[in-house]
């Protein structure tokens, strides 16, 4: 079959690579839906797609390096470890919260906006922030 607009184009030759000037074919593929369908039909008729031999996949897989064995994700030991880590994280967060509450860190955070309004832009503001740093250093040394 031929395209009514592009009758001079032979799509079988184009698919087989027997055409010298491919620009006309490429323009026809871009602009003409009928030529595009003829091109696809020519590709299907060429049957250049074939399945590999029966031993091909086995040869490729044999050539790949072996991966280390991964532990089973659903094993009882893995599940037990993950439960322990959740509890350890919970206990660490609770201990840190208790320490911060004991030293009045949260009360201190509530008072910061009031104290900053009182201090304004005075000279004491610089001293205030230096005292914050001293408290933080003392807490970290504890």
């Amino acid at each position: 079959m031929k395209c009514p607009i592009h009758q001079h184009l032979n799509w079988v030759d184009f698919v087989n690579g027997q055409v010298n000037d491919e620009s006309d074919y490429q323009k026809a593929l871009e602009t003409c839906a009928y030529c595009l369908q003829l091109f696809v039909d020519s590709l299907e008729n060429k049957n250049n797609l074939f399945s590999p031999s029966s031993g091909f996949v086995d040869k490729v897989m044999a050539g790949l390096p072996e991966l280390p064995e991964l532990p089973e994700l659903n094993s009882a030991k893995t599940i037990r470890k993950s439960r322990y880590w959740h509890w350890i994280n919970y206990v660490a967060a609770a201990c840190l919260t208790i320490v911060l509450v004991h030293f009045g860190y949260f009360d201190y955070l509530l008072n910061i906006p009031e104290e900053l309004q009182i201090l304004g832009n005075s000279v004491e503001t610089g001293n205030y922030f230096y005292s914050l740093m001293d408290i933080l250093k003392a807490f970290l040394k504890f």
Side-chain angles (χ1 to χ4, degrees), residues 6 9 11 14 21-33 35-36:
H6 304 101
L9 300 178
W11 290 105
F14 179 72
D21 186 24
E22 295 181 356
S23 62
D24 292 337
Y25 290 92
Q26 291 173 355
K27 287 178 186 174
L29 286 174
E30 292 173 0
T31 58
C32 181
C35 286
L36 182 61

Side-chain angles (χ1 to χ4, degrees), residues 20 22 29 35-37 52 55 60 68 80 83 87 89 97 102 108 111 118 123 126 133 135 140-141:
N20 294 333
E22 295 181 356
L29 286 174
C35 286
L36 182 61
Q37 185 60 43
V60 170
R80 210 175 312 126
R83 284 186 192 154
W87 280 105
N89 290 334
T97 304
H102 175 72
Y108 183 72
N111 294 332
I118 294 170
V123 177
M133 294 301 291
I135 291 171
L140 291 176
K141 287 182 183 177

Side-chain angles (χ1 to χ4, degrees), residues 87-101:
W87 280 105
I88 290 172
N89 290 334
Y90 175 75
V91 168
C95 290
L96 184 62
T97 304
I98 290 170
V99 168
L100 292 176
V101 168

Side-chain angles (χ1 to χ4, degrees), residues 51-70:
S51 57
S53 62
S54 61
F56 177 76
V57 174
D58 296 330
K59 290 178 186 176
V60 170
M61 294 303 287
L64 295 175
E66 289 188 29
L67 296 174
E69 289 292 325
L70 297 175

